[in-house]
Amino acid sequence: EWTCSKTGRTGLTLEECFLSERTATEKLAAFPDLYKKYVFSALHFNTKKIGLISNDILSHLRTNFLVGEDDVHCRGAQRSTRAPAPVRILSALPCDKYFIEFLDDQERDKVPLNQLFRKKLPSLP
């Protein structure tokens, strides 16, 4: 019996163990570095069960944005067009506001949280 060094799964055959480790490594490599930093800091010295930590992380990412995130869209900003536009988060401000940069023209603006959205939330590896 073998144990996957990446996931901790036990009772595997040697072939299943190699497959499990390779799959886990591929999933982690595909996960964006920006989110890795946040996830690893949330895990560090945390004593909760992993399922609870995972829920906390996903809950935070559903309702907040990370500085540097650029897979975000802004709707209804004070621009000539009202169509959602891709933006990068430059900083988090008090009162649920963010300082953003529009990716199409590098214009910058302060917007409330409710004007920002992700098309897809990254899934945890």
Side-chain angles (χ1 to χ4, degrees):
E1 287 192 2
W2 295 84
T3 301
C4 175
S5 66
K6 307 288 184 189
T7 65
R9 289 180 55 207
T10 60
L12 304 174
T13 65
L14 182 58
E15 185 177 316
E16 290 170 332
C17 187
F18 283 138
L19 180 61
S20 179
E21 289 181 356
R22 185 176 66 214
T23 302
T25 300
E26 289 169 356
K27 284 184 177 182
L28 187 59
F31 196 65
D33 288 339
L34 180 69
Y35 299 110
K36 283 181 193 174
K37 181 178 179 183
Y38 174 74
V39 169
F40 292 152
S41 67
L43 289 170
H44 193 63
F45 294 124
N46 202 321
T47 57
K48 292 181 184 178
K49 291 184 178 185
I50 193 68
L52 295 175
I53 298 169
S54 178
N55 289 341
D56 290 347
I57 291 169
L58 287 173
S59 176
H60 179 81
L61 290 176
R62 279 189 191 105
T63 58
N64 296 281
F65 297 92
L66 303 178
V67 173
E69 202 169 345
D70 59 7
D71 192 23
V72 178
H73 290 73
C74 180
R75 62 178 148 246
Q78 296 82 18
R79 306 180 85 206
S80 58
T81 176
R82 291 288 188 199
V87 299
R88 175 179 296 116
I89 305 297
L90 299 177
S91 63
L93 304 170
C95 301
D96 287 336
K97 291 192 177 191
Y98 288 87
F99 189 54
I100 60 166
E101 176 180 58
F102 290 91
L103 297 180
D104 55 359
D105 61 8
Q106 281 72 44
E107 182 183 333
R108 294 177 176 200
D109 200 358
K110 294 177 193 172
V111 296
L113 173 63
N114 64 1
Q115 288 185 332
L116 300 173
F117 68 96
R118 290 183 192 91
K119 288 196 174 184
K120 183 180 177 189
L121 188 64
S123 59
L124 293 177

